[in-house]
């Protein structure tokens, strides 16, 4: 179906992509109807690349009058697919034939998704236009910047990689695609080494960069960015399907303001049946401690109160990581990614904090939609231990960007402290943050992500023992056990994420062999100052628990000596009520 909007000064022909309406239309019909409409409106088709040959099978028309705006070009050459009956066509689920079950099962591990079905379905299949209504009527500037699409991959499944590339070629206005750079991150699979260059030589916009050693996705993307010629960098994973009209809305945001970083809505290509599924609207990219990425729905009442529409842009505290457009110069001004991040993970947090804290914004653009195959596990190997690699990356990010809040990160991933993790040199990253005069993490929390719970301490206030009805008290720089008094400042302590029990700059500890308790200068790195107190708060009822010295072989517990009403440490005993304590307030479990 072709629609022309006569009401607009800037005349545009729009192909409305409702695949269901289009099954009967031939490519030729689309083209001739385009030309006829153009005649009716007396538009000069010699205007900049009027007919876009994409893969030689189809054409899309664009009519431009500079300067000004035009409706989003719904370029989609897969509109009237060669083989409408092919499995997986129109994004429908594909089915493994009965006699191929074994084969499909055995091939799963090649990509940790249904590789058999990916090979079965067309590499240029049609998918439903999942954009909210209104997107096809939105206007974008005629003079949008060009983009370099960067897809890095290691041992990607052949058909999936091709489908990703074709979805870009088939559903983007090609004058905006400066090039597509495929960064081969030292793949081991022969077909990628031998056949990819040959296959892609038919597509002049596609360039391939074969890395000579494994870079990991972070440095592989940087290798692509370094040779990119477009104005904007658009990063994509290598197992995606770009939907109709995906590109212009992203570039429009960057064009409006070069410090905007635009992400599409990431839809789901099923790992099991390769169906293309849309996702709920109104999702923000967020993180929970210790820096786990997740999606969070904007609450219904917020949507209603602010009259948020499905097409409205959503500002996000963090991005998922894989799919976004960023002004190239701006990306380099920001210092790109920390090149010290290895293989996979954490770079999405790093770039997100960097963007917000150093003056930019991250947005999800609902009118731009890209499908992605979500997998349960990375299908490629990690040069070093996977968990250690990701943890080290995250710790680098925490050290550079989280300020005092890095305690929350370590508090939620406490084993990292015990491991004495080596995060490598951070001098350059810290200098960069200074040079860019980035704001504090506190500012970020208050202004960008106020709904994150980030209490700087886990518990605070009085430390009560109920059996003896008393509280720990500071008396002349030593510790005593006295009647509780909520107004007594000498009875106030903070229990930190790093497990110190602090009174000002002094910490409760027992450092001599006799188990005497005292106050010592706090030091986050000194494990002999650390106490484990599992703050159990259930159904608003605070449960008392032990306060255990951590650095000793034998668990040793803080205890109040019944007869002398004095504090000491003693062998832990789960039934001893004189070893059970409760803080006045608990902030998080
Ligand atoms: O060593 C490597 N070299 C690579 O080139 C490791 C990976 N890669 C490639 C890989 O082939 C793929 O194309 O890098 C890309 C991303 O790797 P994936 O697909 O294994 O990552 P993912 O989809 O599981 O994880 C998400 O988080 C990552 C954290 O480092 C990256 O930011 C991914 O780009 C990101 N993906 C998305 O944002 C898509 C939506 C997922 C969500 C939520
Ligand atoms: Mn991915």
């Amino acid at each position: 179906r072709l629609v022309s909007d006569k009401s607009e000064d800037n005349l545009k022909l729009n192909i409305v992509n409702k695949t269901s309406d289009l099954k009967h239309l031939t490519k030729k019909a689309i083209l001739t109807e385009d030309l006829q409409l153009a005649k009716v409106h007396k538009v000069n088709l010699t205007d900049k690349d009027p007919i876009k040959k994409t893969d030689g099978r189809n054409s899309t028309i664009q009519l431009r009058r500079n300067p000004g705006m035009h409706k989003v070009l719904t370029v989609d050459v897969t509109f009237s697919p060669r083989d409408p009956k092919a499995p997986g066509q129109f994004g429908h689920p594909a089915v493994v034939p009965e006699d191929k079950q074994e084969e499909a099962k055995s091939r799963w591990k090649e990509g940790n998704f249904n590789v058999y079905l990916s090979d079965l379905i067309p590499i240029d299949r049609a998918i439903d236009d999942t954009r909210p209504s209104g997107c096809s009527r939105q206007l974008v500037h005629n003079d949008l910047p060009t983009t370099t699409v960067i897809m890095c991959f290691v041992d990607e499944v052949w058909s999936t990689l091709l489908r990703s590339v074709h979805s870009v070629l088939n559903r983007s206005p090609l004058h905006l695609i400066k090039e597509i750079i495929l960064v081969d991150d030292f793949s081991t699979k022969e077909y990628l080494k031998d056949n990819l260059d040959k296959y892609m030589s038919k597509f002049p916009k596609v360039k391939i960069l074969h890395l000579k050693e494994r870079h990991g996705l972070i440095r592989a993307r940087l290798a692509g960015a370094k040779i990119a010629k477009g104005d904007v960098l658009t990063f994509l994973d290598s197992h995606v399907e770009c939907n109709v009209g995906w590109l212009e809305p992203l570039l429009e945001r960057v064009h409006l303001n070069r410090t905007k970083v635009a992400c599409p809505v990431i839809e789901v290509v099923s790992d099991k049946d390769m169906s293309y599924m849309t996702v709920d609207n109104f999702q923000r990219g967020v993180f929970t401690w210790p820096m786990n990425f997740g999606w969070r729905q904007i609450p219904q009442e917020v949507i209603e109160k602010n009259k948020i529409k499905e097409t409205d842009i959503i500002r996000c505290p963090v991005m998922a990581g894989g799919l976004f457009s960023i002004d190239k110069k701006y990306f380099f001004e920001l210092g790109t990614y920390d090149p010290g991040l290895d293989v996979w993970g954490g770079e999405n947090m790093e770039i997100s904090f960097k963007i917000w804290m150093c003056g930019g914004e991250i947005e999800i653009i609902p009118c731009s939609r890209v499908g992605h195959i979500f997998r349960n596990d990375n299908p490629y190997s990690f040069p070093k231990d996977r968990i250690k690699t990701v943890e080290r990356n995250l710790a680098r990010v925490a050290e550079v960007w989280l300020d005092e809040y890095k305690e929350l990160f370590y508090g939620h991933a406490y084993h990292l402290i015990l491991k004495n993790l080596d995060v490598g040199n951070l001098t350059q990253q810290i200098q960069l943050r200074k040079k860019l005069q980035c704001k504090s993490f506190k500012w970020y929390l208050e202004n960008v992500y106020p709904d994150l719970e980030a209490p700087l301490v886990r518990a605070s206030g009085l430390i009560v023992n109920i059996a003896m009805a008393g509280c720990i008290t500071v008396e002349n720089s030593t510790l005593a056990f006295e009647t509780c008094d909520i107004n007594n400042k000498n009875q106030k302590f903070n229990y930190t994420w790093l497990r110190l029990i602090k009174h000002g700059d002094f910490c409760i500890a027992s450092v001599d062999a006799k188990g005497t308790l005292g106050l010592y200068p706090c030091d986050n790195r000194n494990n002999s100052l650390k106490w484990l107190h599992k703050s159990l708060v259930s159904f608003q009822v605070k449960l008392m628990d032990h306060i255990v010295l951590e650095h000793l072989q034998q668990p040793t517990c803080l205890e109040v000596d019944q007869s002398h009403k004095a504090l000491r440490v003693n062998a832990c005993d789960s039934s001893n009520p004189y070893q059970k304590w409760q803080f006045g307030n608990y902030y998080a479990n």
Side-chain angles (χ1 to χ4, degrees), residues 551-585:
H551 67 292
L552 302 175
Q553 284 277 315
Q554 211 57 281
T556 307
C557 284
L558 182 65
E559 182 182 281
V560 53
D561 173 356
Q562 253 177 293
S563 41
H564 304 89
K565 280 202 160 192
L567 294 164
R568 65 179 181 198
V569 289
N570 208 348
C572 293
D573 167 7
S574 60
S575 60
N576 184 345
Y578 304 105
Q579 290 186 357
K580 295 204 175 163
W581 302 91
Q582 180 183 291
F583 278 82
N585 313 291

mmCIF file of all heavy atoms in Angstrom, residues 551-585:
data_model
loop_
_atom_site.group_PDB
_atom_site.id
_atom_site.type_symbol
_atom_site.label_atom_id
_atom_site.label_comp_id
_atom_site.label_asym_id
_atom_site.label_seq_id
_atom_site.Cartn_x
_atom_site.Cartn_y
_atom_site.Cartn_z
ATOM 1 N N HIS A 551 37.515 -11.913 60.065
ATOM 2 C CA HIS A 551 38.865 -12.277 59.625
ATOM 3 C C HIS A 551 39.416 -13.497 60.338
ATOM 4 O O HIS A 551 40.455 -13.992 59.997
ATOM 5 C CB HIS A 551 39.817 -11.088 59.789
ATOM 6 C CG HIS A 551 40.065 -10.724 61.228
ATOM 7 N ND1 HIS A 551 39.087 -10.197 62.022
ATOM 8 C CD2 HIS A 551 41.163 -10.825 61.993
ATOM 9 C CE1 HIS A 551 39.581 -9.965 63.223
ATOM 10 N NE2 HIS A 551 40.832 -10.347 63.233
ATOM 11 N N LEU A 552 38.685 -13.965 61.361
ATOM 12 C CA LEU A 552 39.213 -15.083 62.137
ATOM 13 C C LEU A 552 38.796 -16.427 61.540
ATOM 14 O O LEU A 552 37.739 -16.533 60.932
ATOM 15 C CB LEU A 552 38.730 -14.977 63.582
ATOM 16 C CG LEU A 552 39.127 -13.679 64.281
ATOM 17 C CD1 LEU A 552 38.518 -13.612 65.657
ATOM 18 C CD2 LEU A 552 40.643 -13.552 64.343
ATOM 19 N N GLN A 553 39.623 -17.418 61.743
ATOM 20 C CA GLN A 553 39.328 -18.769 61.286
ATOM 21 C C GLN A 553 38.041 -19.276 61.931
ATOM 22 O O GLN A 553 37.110 -19.703 61.277
ATOM 23 C CB GLN A 553 40.483 -19.699 61.703
ATOM 24 C CG GLN A 553 41.715 -19.553 60.842
ATOM 25 C CD GLN A 553 41.581 -20.365 59.572
ATOM 26 O OE1 GLN A 553 41.173 -21.498 59.615
ATOM 27 N NE2 GLN A 553 41.928 -19.753 58.461
ATOM 28 N N GLN A 554 38.028 -19.173 63.251
ATOM 29 C CA GLN A 554 36.883 -19.625 64.037
ATOM 30 C C GLN A 554 35.896 -18.466 64.119
ATOM 31 O O GLN A 554 36.296 -17.367 64.490
ATOM 32 C CB GLN A 554 37.426 -19.957 65.439
ATOM 33 C CG GLN A 554 36.719 -21.053 66.203
ATOM 34 C CD GLN A 554 36.682 -22.368 65.464
ATOM 35 O OE1 GLN A 554 35.863 -22.531 64.573
ATOM 36 N NE2 GLN A 554 37.562 -23.281 65.807
ATOM 37 N N PRO A 555 34.607 -18.673 63.761
ATOM 38 C CA PRO A 555 33.669 -17.555 63.876
ATOM 39 C C PRO A 555 33.609 -17.048 65.325
ATOM 40 O O PRO A 555 33.435 -17.843 66.242
ATOM 41 C CB PRO A 555 32.332 -18.153 63.456
ATOM 42 C CG PRO A 555 32.594 -19.528 62.993
ATOM 43 C CD PRO A 555 33.989 -19.909 63.308
ATOM 44 N N THR A 556 33.797 -15.775 65.448
ATOM 45 C CA THR A 556 33.821 -15.174 66.783
ATOM 46 C C THR A 556 32.778 -14.062 66.827
ATOM 47 O O THR A 556 32.708 -13.249 65.906
ATOM 48 C CB THR A 556 35.228 -14.604 67.062
ATOM 49 O OG1 THR A 556 36.173 -15.639 66.820
ATOM 50 C CG2 THR A 556 35.355 -14.130 68.478
ATOM 51 N N CYS A 557 32.006 -14.040 67.890
ATOM 52 C CA CYS A 557 30.846 -13.152 67.909
ATOM 53 C C CYS A 557 30.936 -12.078 68.983
ATOM 54 O O CYS A 557 31.483 -12.307 70.059
ATOM 55 C CB CYS A 557 29.582 -13.976 68.135
ATOM 56 S SG CYS A 557 29.074 -14.852 66.660
ATOM 57 N N LEU A 558 30.343 -10.963 68.661
ATOM 58 C CA LEU A 558 30.229 -9.873 69.622
ATOM 59 C C LEU A 558 29.223 -10.297 70.694
ATOM 60 O O LEU A 558 28.128 -10.761 70.376
ATOM 61 C CB LEU A 558 29.744 -8.614 68.878
ATOM 62 C CG LEU A 558 29.588 -7.341 69.667
ATOM 63 C CD1 LEU A 558 30.936 -6.858 70.191
ATOM 64 C CD2 LEU A 558 28.980 -6.265 68.780
ATOM 65 N N GLU A 559 29.615 -10.114 71.952
ATOM 66 C CA GLU A 559 28.784 -10.641 73.045
ATOM 67 C C GLU A 559 28.782 -9.651 74.189
ATOM 68 O O GLU A 559 29.750 -8.921 74.408
ATOM 69 C CB GLU A 559 29.383 -11.977 73.505
ATOM 70 C CG GLU A 559 28.623 -12.679 74.609
ATOM 71 C CD GLU A 559 29.331 -13.977 75.013
ATOM 72 O OE1 GLU A 559 29.178 -14.979 74.296
ATOM 73 O OE2 GLU A 559 30.055 -13.953 76.023
ATOM 74 N N VAL A 560 27.684 -9.634 74.939
ATOM 75 C CA VAL A 560 27.719 -8.854 76.165
ATOM 76 C C VAL A 560 27.836 -9.836 77.329
ATOM 77 O O VAL A 560 27.078 -10.807 77.424
ATOM 78 C CB VAL A 560 26.509 -7.884 76.287
ATOM 79 C CG1 VAL A 560 25.183 -8.604 76.109
ATOM 80 C CG2 VAL A 560 26.536 -7.151 77.631
ATOM 81 N N ASP A 561 28.824 -9.575 78.130
ATOM 82 C CA ASP A 561 29.110 -10.447 79.271
ATOM 83 C C ASP A 561 28.047 -10.192 80.337
ATOM 84 O O ASP A 561 27.943 -9.093 80.882
ATOM 85 C CB ASP A 561 30.532 -10.099 79.760
ATOM 86 C CG ASP A 561 30.890 -10.816 81.039
ATOM 87 O OD1 ASP A 561 30.026 -11.532 81.593
ATOM 88 O OD2 ASP A 561 32.047 -10.656 81.473
ATOM 89 N N GLN A 562 27.258 -11.232 80.631
ATOM 90 C CA GLN A 562 26.114 -11.132 81.535
ATOM 91 C C GLN A 562 26.452 -10.523 82.888
ATOM 92 O O GLN A 562 25.778 -9.633 83.367
ATOM 93 C CB GLN A 562 25.593 -12.532 81.806
ATOM 94 C CG GLN A 562 24.307 -12.854 81.124
ATOM 95 C CD GLN A 562 23.989 -14.290 81.434
ATOM 96 O OE1 GLN A 562 24.692 -15.192 80.995
ATOM 97 N NE2 GLN A 562 22.973 -14.505 82.226
ATOM 98 N N SER A 563 27.514 -11.060 83.493
ATOM 99 C CA SER A 563 27.789 -10.659 84.878
ATOM 100 C C SER A 563 28.347 -9.251 84.975
ATOM 101 O O SER A 563 27.992 -8.498 85.878
ATOM 102 C CB SER A 563 28.736 -11.656 85.529
ATOM 103 O OG SER A 563 29.735 -12.011 84.601
ATOM 104 N N HIS A 564 29.218 -8.884 84.014
ATOM 105 C CA HIS A 564 29.857 -7.568 84.153
ATOM 106 C C HIS A 564 29.247 -6.488 83.274
ATOM 107 O O HIS A 564 29.686 -5.357 83.295
ATOM 108 C CB HIS A 564 31.356 -7.677 83.829
ATOM 109 C CG HIS A 564 32.052 -8.678 84.658
ATOM 110 N ND1 HIS A 564 32.160 -10.014 84.308
ATOM 111 C CD2 HIS A 564 32.659 -8.563 85.863
ATOM 112 C CE1 HIS A 564 32.813 -10.660 85.236
ATOM 113 N NE2 HIS A 564 33.139 -9.809 86.204
ATOM 114 N N LYS A 565 28.257 -6.873 82.504
ATOM 115 C CA LYS A 565 27.672 -5.919 81.556
ATOM 116 C C LYS A 565 28.761 -5.262 80.702
ATOM 117 O O LYS A 565 28.760 -4.045 80.484
ATOM 118 C CB LYS A 565 26.879 -4.848 82.279
ATOM 119 C CG LYS A 565 25.486 -5.301 82.686
ATOM 120 C CD LYS A 565 24.615 -4.091 82.890
ATOM 121 C CE LYS A 565 23.152 -4.438 82.816
ATOM 122 N NZ LYS A 565 22.305 -3.264 82.737
ATOM 123 N N ALA A 566 29.714 -6.058 80.301
ATOM 124 C CA ALA A 566 30.798 -5.529 79.477
ATOM 125 C C ALA A 566 30.779 -6.241 78.133
ATOM 126 O O ALA A 566 30.224 -7.324 77.994
ATOM 127 C CB ALA A 566 32.130 -5.756 80.170
ATOM 128 N N LEU A 567 31.404 -5.597 77.132
ATOM 129 C CA LEU A 567 31.440 -6.179 75.791
ATOM 130 C C LEU A 567 32.691 -7.021 75.598
ATOM 131 O O LEU A 567 33.748 -6.694 76.128
ATOM 132 C CB LEU A 567 31.423 -5.059 74.746
ATOM 133 C CG LEU A 567 30.134 -4.250 74.692
ATOM 134 C CD1 LEU A 567 30.372 -2.973 73.928
ATOM 135 C CD2 LEU A 567 29.015 -5.069 74.063
ATOM 136 N N ARG A 568 32.545 -8.081 74.838
ATOM 137 C CA ARG A 568 33.702 -8.909 74.517
ATOM 138 C C ARG A 568 33.381 -9.705 73.263
ATOM 139 O O ARG A 568 32.258 -9.643 72.744
ATOM 140 C CB ARG A 568 34.014 -9.860 75.675
ATOM 141 C CG ARG A 568 32.894 -10.870 75.915
ATOM 142 C CD ARG A 568 33.233 -11.822 77.046
ATOM 143 N NE ARG A 568 32.174 -12.795 77.237
ATOM 144 C CZ ARG A 568 32.039 -13.505 78.346
ATOM 145 N NH1 ARG A 568 32.860 -13.330 79.360
ATOM 146 N NH2 ARG A 568 31.068 -14.405 78.446
ATOM 147 N N VAL A 569 34.339 -10.457 72.754
ATOM 148 C CA VAL A 569 34.021 -11.406 71.682
ATOM 149 C C VAL A 569 34.200 -12.812 72.237
ATOM 150 O O VAL A 569 35.006 -13.041 73.133
ATOM 151 C CB VAL A 569 34.891 -11.212 70.421
ATOM 152 C CG1 VAL A 569 34.520 -9.949 69.694
ATOM 153 C CG2 VAL A 569 36.369 -11.228 70.772
ATOM 154 N N ASN A 570 33.440 -13.719 71.686
ATOM 155 C CA ASN A 570 33.439 -15.081 72.202
ATOM 156 C C ASN A 570 33.068 -16.038 71.065
ATOM 157 O O ASN A 570 32.528 -15.613 70.046
ATOM 158 C CB ASN A 570 32.405 -15.171 73.333
ATOM 159 C CG ASN A 570 32.779 -16.240 74.333
ATOM 160 O OD1 ASN A 570 33.673 -17.061 74.076
ATOM 161 N ND2 ASN A 570 32.094 -16.244 75.468
ATOM 162 N N ALA A 571 33.339 -17.317 71.282
ATOM 163 C CA ALA A 571 32.965 -18.305 70.258
ATOM 164 C C ALA A 571 31.463 -18.196 69.967
ATOM 165 O O ALA A 571 30.659 -18.079 70.883
ATOM 166 C CB ALA A 571 33.298 -19.702 70.760
ATOM 167 N N CYS A 572 31.111 -18.222 68.694
ATOM 168 C CA CYS A 572 29.701 -18.028 68.333
ATOM 169 C C CYS A 572 28.867 -19.214 68.779
ATOM 170 O O CYS A 572 29.287 -20.360 68.722
ATOM 171 C CB CYS A 572 29.560 -17.858 66.815
ATOM 172 S SG CYS A 572 30.300 -16.347 66.226
ATOM 173 N N ASP A 573 27.656 -18.884 69.230
ATOM 174 C CA ASP A 573 26.732 -19.909 69.699
ATOM 175 C C ASP A 573 25.342 -19.454 69.274
ATOM 176 O O ASP A 573 24.839 -18.435 69.752
ATOM 177 C CB ASP A 573 26.872 -20.007 71.226
ATOM 178 C CG ASP A 573 25.730 -20.811 71.853
ATOM 179 O OD1 ASP A 573 24.916 -21.391 71.101
ATOM 180 O OD2 ASP A 573 25.662 -20.831 73.106
ATOM 181 N N SER A 574 24.733 -20.213 68.406
ATOM 182 C CA SER A 574 23.492 -19.735 67.779
ATOM 183 C C SER A 574 22.358 -19.559 68.803
ATOM 184 O O SER A 574 21.421 -18.816 68.541
ATOM 185 C CB SER A 574 23.065 -20.686 66.675
ATOM 186 O OG SER A 574 22.853 -21.966 67.230
ATOM 187 N N SER A 575 22.447 -20.223 69.946
ATOM 188 C CA SER A 575 21.322 -20.094 70.883
ATOM 189 C C SER A 575 21.596 -19.076 71.994
ATOM 190 O O SER A 575 20.773 -18.876 72.870
ATOM 191 C CB SER A 575 21.016 -21.467 71.498
ATOM 192 O OG SER A 575 22.174 -21.917 72.173
ATOM 193 N N ASN A 576 22.739 -18.445 71.943
ATOM 194 C CA ASN A 576 23.093 -17.500 73.000
ATOM 195 C C ASN A 576 22.472 -16.126 72.755
ATOM 196 O O ASN A 576 22.855 -15.415 71.826
ATOM 197 C CB ASN A 576 24.620 -17.377 73.057
ATOM 198 C CG ASN A 576 25.084 -16.479 74.191
ATOM 199 O OD1 ASN A 576 24.287 -15.723 74.760
ATOM 200 N ND2 ASN A 576 26.361 -16.569 74.501
ATOM 201 N N PRO A 577 21.491 -15.712 73.577
ATOM 202 C CA PRO A 577 20.804 -14.432 73.329
ATOM 203 C C PRO A 577 21.712 -13.230 73.572
ATOM 204 O O PRO A 577 21.419 -12.131 73.107
ATOM 205 C CB PRO A 577 19.654 -14.455 74.336
ATOM 206 C CG PRO A 577 20.104 -15.374 75.423
ATOM 207 C CD PRO A 577 20.996 -16.398 74.780
ATOM 208 N N TYR A 578 22.803 -13.423 74.295
ATOM 209 C CA TYR A 578 23.704 -12.293 74.567
ATOM 210 C C TYR A 578 24.620 -12.004 73.387
ATOM 211 O O TYR A 578 25.443 -11.120 73.428
ATOM 212 C CB TYR A 578 24.488 -12.568 75.868
ATOM 213 C CG TYR A 578 23.548 -12.838 77.015
ATOM 214 C CD1 TYR A 578 23.362 -14.132 77.507
ATOM 215 C CD2 TYR A 578 22.799 -11.792 77.560
ATOM 216 C CE1 TYR A 578 22.455 -14.381 78.531
ATOM 217 C CE2 TYR A 578 21.891 -12.036 78.584
ATOM 218 C CZ TYR A 578 21.723 -13.324 79.053
ATOM 219 O OH TYR A 578 20.800 -13.544 80.055
ATOM 220 N N GLN A 579 24.456 -12.803 72.369
ATOM 221 C CA GLN A 579 25.229 -12.567 71.133
ATOM 222 C C GLN A 579 24.344 -12.008 70.023
ATOM 223 O O GLN A 579 24.774 -11.902 68.877
ATOM 224 C CB GLN A 579 25.859 -13.880 70.653
ATOM 225 C CG GLN A 579 26.984 -14.364 71.550
ATOM 226 C CD GLN A 579 27.684 -15.571 70.977
ATOM 227 O OE1 GLN A 579 27.296 -16.093 69.932
ATOM 228 N NE2 GLN A 579 28.748 -16.016 71.649
ATOM 229 N N LYS A 580 23.100 -11.686 70.356
ATOM 230 C CA LYS A 580 22.196 -11.243 69.277
ATOM 231 C C LYS A 580 21.917 -9.750 69.371
ATOM 232 O O LYS A 580 21.608 -9.227 70.433
ATOM 233 C CB LYS A 580 20.913 -12.055 69.325
ATOM 234 C CG LYS A 580 21.232 -13.506 69.024
ATOM 235 C CD LYS A 580 20.066 -14.265 68.485
ATOM 236 C CE LYS A 580 20.524 -15.670 68.112
ATOM 237 N NZ LYS A 580 19.389 -16.565 67.968
ATOM 238 N N TRP A 581 22.028 -9.124 68.217
ATOM 239 C CA TRP A 581 22.001 -7.665 68.163
ATOM 240 C C TRP A 581 21.052 -7.187 67.080
ATOM 241 O O TRP A 581 20.775 -7.888 66.124
ATOM 242 C CB TRP A 581 23.415 -7.140 67.853
ATOM 243 C CG TRP A 581 24.414 -7.587 68.874
ATOM 244 C CD1 TRP A 581 25.167 -8.715 68.825
ATOM 245 C CD2 TRP A 581 24.751 -6.933 70.083
ATOM 246 N NE1 TRP A 581 25.965 -8.815 69.937
ATOM 247 C CE2 TRP A 581 25.730 -7.715 70.736
ATOM 248 C CE3 TRP A 581 24.321 -5.758 70.708
ATOM 249 C CZ2 TRP A 581 26.292 -7.373 71.956
ATOM 250 C CZ3 TRP A 581 24.890 -5.407 71.921
ATOM 251 C CH2 TRP A 581 25.858 -6.214 72.542
ATOM 252 N N GLN A 582 20.650 -5.938 67.274
ATOM 253 C CA GLN A 582 19.745 -5.355 66.301
ATOM 254 C C GLN A 582 20.065 -3.874 66.175
ATOM 255 O O GLN A 582 20.233 -3.184 67.184
ATOM 256 C CB GLN A 582 18.336 -5.552 66.836
ATOM 257 C CG GLN A 582 17.236 -5.030 65.982
ATOM 258 C CD GLN A 582 15.909 -5.233 66.705
ATOM 259 O OE1 GLN A 582 15.441 -6.344 66.889
ATOM 260 N NE2 GLN A 582 15.329 -4.142 67.158
ATOM 261 N N PHE A 583 20.182 -3.415 64.929
ATOM 262 C CA PHE A 583 20.400 -1.983 64.706
ATOM 263 C C PHE A 583 19.056 -1.250 64.725
ATOM 264 O O PHE A 583 18.004 -1.851 64.507
ATOM 265 C CB PHE A 583 21.065 -1.745 63.341
ATOM 266 C CG PHE A 583 22.558 -1.935 63.369
ATOM 267 C CD1 PHE A 583 23.121 -3.204 63.283
ATOM 268 C CD2 PHE A 583 23.415 -0.835 63.464
ATOM 269 C CE1 PHE A 583 24.492 -3.378 63.301
ATOM 270 C CE2 PHE A 583 24.790 -0.998 63.477
ATOM 271 C CZ PHE A 583 25.332 -2.276 63.402
ATOM 272 N N GLY A 584 19.120 0.028 64.954
ATOM 273 C CA GLY A 584 17.899 0.839 64.950
ATOM 274 C C GLY A 584 17.202 0.841 63.598
ATOM 275 O O GLY A 584 15.989 0.702 63.492
ATOM 276 N N ASN A 585 17.977 0.999 62.519
ATOM 277 C CA ASN A 585 17.390 1.052 61.167
ATOM 278 C C ASN A 585 18.146 0.141 60.218
ATOM 279 O O ASN A 585 19.372 0.084 60.273
ATOM 280 C CB ASN A 585 17.495 2.465 60.574
ATOM 281 C CG ASN A 585 17.055 3.520 61.555
ATOM 282 O OD1 ASN A 585 15.876 3.610 61.885
ATOM 283 N ND2 ASN A 585 18.018 4.299 62.052
#
